Amino acid sequence: MSQLDMFGEETPNNGDSTVLQNGEYIYIPNFLGTKTADRYLEAFKNNIEWQQQSMNMYGKQVLFPRLTSWYGENDKAYSFSGITLNPHAWSEELLQIKSLIEPISEVEFNSVLLNRYRDGNDSISWHTDAEKELGRNPIIASVNFGAERKFQLKHNDTQEKHEIVLKHGSLLLMKGELQHFWKHQVPKQKNITKERINLTFRVIK
Ligand SMILES: [Mn+2]
């Protein structure tokens, strides 16, 4: 359970680990206090260089239903869905969050992919974060701001599903073999009018 600290902010516990067949995740709902998370959300809305990427599908350029940006060490380009992103230099806010999550993640991150879901029409469909530059069993740390959105996991063979509603200020750690056996998505939720910003910290080899 979380508790209120002397500033009236909730302090995080160490989260609950959920061990799945072929993978594991740890979810910490109150990783950042509400006021701290509010402050970061405003900073990321205003200071991140957002872009709407597109990909070629059957000869047509199709816009991704979300905005993205990529930050990190300058020699760590990242390719996915047929596009390559060159990173912007770390911002102060991103470095602060990186230093908060590293002790719990037990890894040093060198990159972060940011996704901005402008409302419930924005989404990301079933995929894995298993690009080969992430290494064999990547640890991926997802920090969440703004609207609460469903995050769904589905096992490749059994089709077993898990769903987590990712809260403002929460941290989700994905680890173990998860990316090899489970896909994940953020489905559209047409009733949601507010935006969500998600940071996924990664280690690019
Ligand atoms: Mn992903």
Side-chain angles (χ1 to χ4, degrees):
M1 297 300 290
S2 61
Q3 299 179 328
L4 294 181
D5 68 15
M6 60 189 294
F7 303 108
E9 294 263 286
E10 289 184 347
T11 53
N13 61 19
N14 287 323
D16 292 317
S17 165
T18 302
V19 178
L20 305 171
Q21 184 191 354
N22 311 119
E24 182 184 354
Y25 65 83
I26 295 171
Y27 180 55
I28 309 177
N30 301 303
F31 182 71
L32 299 172
T34 306
K35 286 178 194 157
T36 305
D38 288 349
R39 193 164 49 77
Y40 281 123
L41 176 61
E42 280 312 302
F44 296 140
K45 282 182 186 175
N46 297 318
N47 303 337
I48 294 294
E49 300 194 41
W50 296 104
Q51 269 194 302
Q52 189 168 17
Q53 303 279 348
S54 61
M55 70 181 288
N56 192 298
M57 256 176 110
Y58 310 109
K60 271 203 294 193
Q61 283 304 116
V62 179
L63 289 169
F64 287 167
R66 61 191 174 277
L67 308 182
T68 57
S69 198
W70 179 243
Y71 281 69
E73 291 172 17
N74 57 16
D75 59 334
K76 308 287 183 189
Y78 187 55
S79 299
F80 64 98
S81 303
I83 64 170
T84 298
L85 295 177
N86 283 305
H88 302 289
W90 289 114
S91 71
E92 189 50 45
E93 287 89 4
L94 291 172
L95 284 175
Q96 288 166 7
I97 294 176
K98 176 169 128 64
S99 70
L100 290 173
I101 62 176
E102 282 179 339
I104 296 175
S105 310
E106 297 174 326
V107 67
E108 233 178 89
F109 296 105
N110 57 24
S111 310
V112 60
L113 176 67
L114 295 94
N115 282 295
R116 184 173 188 172
Y117 302 84
R118 294 159 291 182
D119 58 30
N121 290 306
D122 274 356
S123 61
I124 189 163
S125 56
W126 292 116
H127 70 283
T128 60
D129 297 344
E131 289 79 12
K132 64 175 184 312
E133 58 263 57
L134 296 176
R136 175 148 171 71
N137 284 334
I139 294 190
I140 293 169
S142 160
V143 192
N144 301 286
F145 300 93
E148 294 185 359
R149 294 289 297 266
K150 291 177 182 170
F151 178 86
Q152 299 171 330
L153 289 155
K154 184 171 72 174
H155 193 283
N156 293 339
D157 302 327
T158 66
Q159 310 298 312
E160 182 185 342
K161 269 197 185 183
H162 280 254
E163 183 175 284
I164 312 162
V165 176
L166 295 177
K167 282 186 52 177
H168 182 50
S170 68
L171 171 66
L172 175 71
L173 283 177
M174 295 189 278
K175 54 200 277 189
E177 297 178 305
L178 195 81
Q179 301 306 327
H180 300 288
F181 290 90
W182 296 77
K183 292 186 174 60
H184 55 271
Q185 72 167 356
V186 177
K188 294 188 193 303
Q189 290 181 264
K190 303 280 186 183
N191 57 326
I192 289 182
T193 55
K194 289 200 172 142
E195 65 181 328
R196 163 181 185 246
I197 288 176
N198 167 250
L199 281 48
T200 52
F201 287 84
R202 296 144 191 265
V203 182
I204 302 289
K205 307 286 180 188

